[in-house]
């Protein structure tokens, strides 16, 4: 290993525990959708019975829009009688930008999609999956009463027994995509206000996801318990004001810089598919056959299958690179090449 390489690894391993973040990106109002890509394809990833519309069709069919209150709606088609073997139209979007380790995102949500066959999620993923990791902040299926959160990674990352979190409902501790049918290291958000009609009836809530070198943490606050430090349009966030997170995956058992690369945020609403459509899981809260009895025919089952979002904001640490803009990969790799060249020159000079 070169001298420069050694210096590099030391810098990466050194603990950089910072709790102070500043806003770098605001997705809200009429410009919300400007910086997201629409999937525009059938669900070729999780086998859901959906067509994820492209941007033009999504706006035209009014499955994605900003409503009169300035909130963002993303929904499943609830106007079409779908006939076999067709899929139902829905939305899947991901941010054009990627966010590095050392960032934090807050989503203020008034309503999440729910009902039999419905599988909504607000999550993040690296471009390279599973090598670059996935963080699920909010995920739920069918008529369940609580949502879950999880990490999905390459083998070697587990949920630590020393995690500092409020949830005692730990479903799986191994985050590897290779085992447990890729369930991930899943934790249940132990409040009825985390999904379904109960979430909406409480005015929804706020999810905070911290993607830090020392670990990944998720907080959930219902509408009446949002800390004053993140009310309004907070330009900075100090995570020490948020209390104990509901879910926490310390780096001691999952080296964040090893298992995670920059993340793109994603909203999607699948129907049936690998999770909601799994016969055993489906039967836990719904009757009949997922596709035949719910996706097909009468669309009124989907009147509640929508996200209503006030904002998504991303924060970073002052002086650090947080946002990797779409199309910036080339200049970034150019910068890495330059760094290696400069490092090699310094190494040579030092060796002399
Ligand atoms: C899914 O479809 C998209 C868009 O056509 C394509 O880019 C991608 O490679 C497909 N993925 C898989 C796993 O088939
Ligand atoms: C879903 O759950 C709610 C509340 O528990 C219940 O009232 C409703 O009947 C359930 N719906 C179905 C389709 O099972
Ligand atoms: C996770 O655990 C909770 C509590 O034990 C349980 O209600 C829920 O069904 C489990 N979820 C999954 C996806 O296994
Ligand atoms: C909202 O959260 C607070 C704090 O966790 C809790 O005491 C309260 O019962 C919750 N309200 C509802 C309606 O769930
Ligand atoms: C919130 O603040 C950010 C930057 O501080 C700004 O770009 C954004 O427009 C604000 N959003 C609202 C809804 O006021
Ligand atoms: C978690 O990390 C601790 C400390 O490094 C180690 O002793 C323990 O075996 C790990 N637990 C698991 C489940 O990997
Ligand atoms: C679709 O659901 C929305 C509520 O989410 C409702 O306002 C609308 O009337 C429904 N559309 C139809 C055709 O029933």
């Amino acid at each position: 290993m070169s001298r420069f390489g050694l210096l590099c690894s030391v810098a990466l391993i050194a603990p950089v525990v910072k709790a102070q973040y500043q806003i770098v990106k605001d997705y809200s109002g009429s410009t919300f959708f400007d910086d997201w890509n629409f999937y525009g394809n059938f669900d070729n990833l999780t086998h859901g019975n959906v067509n994820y519309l492209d941007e033009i069709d999504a706006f035209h069919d009014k499955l994605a829009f900003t409503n009169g209150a300035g909130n963002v709606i993303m929904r499943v088609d609830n106007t079409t009688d779908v006939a076999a073997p067709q899929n139902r139209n829905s939305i899947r979007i991901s941010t054009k930008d990627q966010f590095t380790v050392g960032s934090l995102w807050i989503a203020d949500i008034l309503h999440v999609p729910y009902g039999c066959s419905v599988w909504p999620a607000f999550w993040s993923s690296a471009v390279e999956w599973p090598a670059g990791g996935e963080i699920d902040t909010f995920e739920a299926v069918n008529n369940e009463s609580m949502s879950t959160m999880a990490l999905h990674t390459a083998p070697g990352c587990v949920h630590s027994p020393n995690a500092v979190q409020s949830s005692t409902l730990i479903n799986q501790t191994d985050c590897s995509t290779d085992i447990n049918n890729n369930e991930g290291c899943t934790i249940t958000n132990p409040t009825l206000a985390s999904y379904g009609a109960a979430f909406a009836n409480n005015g929804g809530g706020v999810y905070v996801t911290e993607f830090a070198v020392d670990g990944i943490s998720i907080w959930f606050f219902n509408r009446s318990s949002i800390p004053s430090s993140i009310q309004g349009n907070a330009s900075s966030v100090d995570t020490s004001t948020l209390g104990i997170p509901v879910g926490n995956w310390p780096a001691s058992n999952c080296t964040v810089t090893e298992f995670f690369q920059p993340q793109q945020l994603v909203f999607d609403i699948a129907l049936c598919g690998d999770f909601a459509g799994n016969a055993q899981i489906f039967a836990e809260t719904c009757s009949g056959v997922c596709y035949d009895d719910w996706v097909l025919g009468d669309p009124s089952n989907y009147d509640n299958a929508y996200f209503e979002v006030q904002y998504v904001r991303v924060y970073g640490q002052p002086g650090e690179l947080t946002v990797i803009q779409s199309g910036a990969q080339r200049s970034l790799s150019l910068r890495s090449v330059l760094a290696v060249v400069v490092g090699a020159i310094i190494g040579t000079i030092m060796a002399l």
Side-chain angles (χ1 to χ4, degrees):
M1 187 185 276
S2 75
R3 202 182 293 249
F4 178 73
L6 258 178
L7 280 173
C8 246
S9 345
V10 170
L12 282 176
I13 292 164
V16 196
V17 183
K18 291 182 200 160
Q20 189 72 45
Y21 294 87
Q22 281 179 353
I23 193 159
V24 294
K25 194 84 195 170
D26 173 89
Y27 300 95
S28 61
S30 60
T31 59
F32 181 94
F33 292 110
D34 291 358
D35 290 335
W36 301 73
N37 290 318
F38 285 71
Y39 196 69
N41 200 72
F42 71 95
D43 178 10
N44 58 1
L45 303 172
T46 60
H47 312 105
N49 296 115
V50 284
N51 295 315
Y52 291 125
L53 298 185
D54 63 21
E55 186 165 0
I56 291 169
D57 290 341
F59 291 157
H60 178 265
D61 291 2
K62 296 199 163 48
L63 297 194
F65 60 98
T66 302
N67 69 14
N71 300 325
V72 165
I73 305 287
M74 289 166 271
R75 65 174 311 135
V76 174
D77 173 359
N78 70 331
T79 63
T80 307
D81 262 46
V82 169
Q86 288 166 351
N87 290 327
R88 190 171 282 283
N89 290 341
S90 184
I91 299 294
R92 176 187 168 119
I93 59 170
S94 53
T95 54
K96 293 179 180 173
D97 293 342
Q98 302 169 38
F99 305 104
T100 61
V101 178
S103 57
L104 172 128
W105 44 93
I106 305 185
D108 185 318
I109 305 176
L110 292 163
H111 189 283
V112 292
Y114 64 90
C116 291
S117 79
V118 180
W119 172 13
F122 170 60
W123 53 293
S124 74
S125 175
V127 172
E128 298 294 328
W129 188 96
E134 168 185 339
I135 305 170
D136 302 336
T137 298
F138 161 85
E139 182 168 24
V141 291
N142 301 318
N143 208 21
E144 282 178 358
S145 54
M146 295 181 277
S147 64
T148 56
M149 48 197 74
L151 307 182
H152 297 262
T153 65
C157 161
V158 299
H159 180 257
S160 170
N162 301 323
V164 179
Q165 64 179 41
S166 60
S167 177
T168 56
L169 305 178
I170 298 166
N171 294 81
Q172 290 290 350
T173 55
D174 198 323
C175 312
S176 170
T177 55
D178 288 353
I179 62 165
N180 299 325
N181 297 315
N182 181 26
E183 192 180 325
C185 40
T186 305
I187 293 165
T188 295
N189 189 343
T191 165
L192 296 179
S194 69
Y195 182 53
F199 178 89
N201 292 342
N202 280 327
V206 169
Y207 277 97
V208 181
T209 308
E210 184 183 32
F211 176 37
V213 172
D214 59 327
I216 292 171
S217 302
I218 296 173
W219 288 261
F220 171 69
F221 305 103
N222 66 34
R223 188 61 55 194
S224 53
S225 66
I226 301 170
S228 57
S229 59
I230 55 168
Q231 285 179 18
N233 193 2
S235 59
S236 65
V237 173
D238 179 347
T239 47
S240 69
T241 65
L242 303 180
I244 294 175
V246 61
N248 170 240
W249 295 262
S252 58
N253 291 88
C254 178
T255 310
V256 177
T257 50
E258 178 185 346
F259 292 100
F260 290 87
Q261 287 156 17
Q263 301 280 302
Q264 287 173 292
L265 311 188
V266 184
F267 278 99
D268 72 53
I269 317 170
L271 301 177
C272 305
D274 295 342
F275 189 7
N278 171 294
Q280 192 190 329
I281 288 170
F282 187 74
E284 284 172 12
T285 55
C286 292
S287 60
V289 176
C290 193
Y291 175 70
D292 297 8
D293 297 324
W294 298 92
V295 177
L296 297 181
D298 181 7
S300 68
N301 179 48
Y302 299 104
D303 287 358
N304 278 308
Y306 67 95
F307 278 106
E308 182 171 3
V309 177
Q310 300 220 73
Y311 67 77
V312 173
R313 294 193 181 119
V314 182
Y315 296 77
Q317 291 172 347
E320 303 287 334
L321 173 76
T322 303
V323 184
I324 299 176
Q325 289 176 340
S326 57
Q329 270 90 342
R330 247 184 75 227
S331 57
L332 194 76
S333 52
L334 186 65
R335 201 186 311 177
S336 320
V337 168
L338 276 175
V340 169
V341 170
V342 170
I345 293 170
I346 292 173
T348 310
I349 292 170
M350 284 174 85
L352 286 175

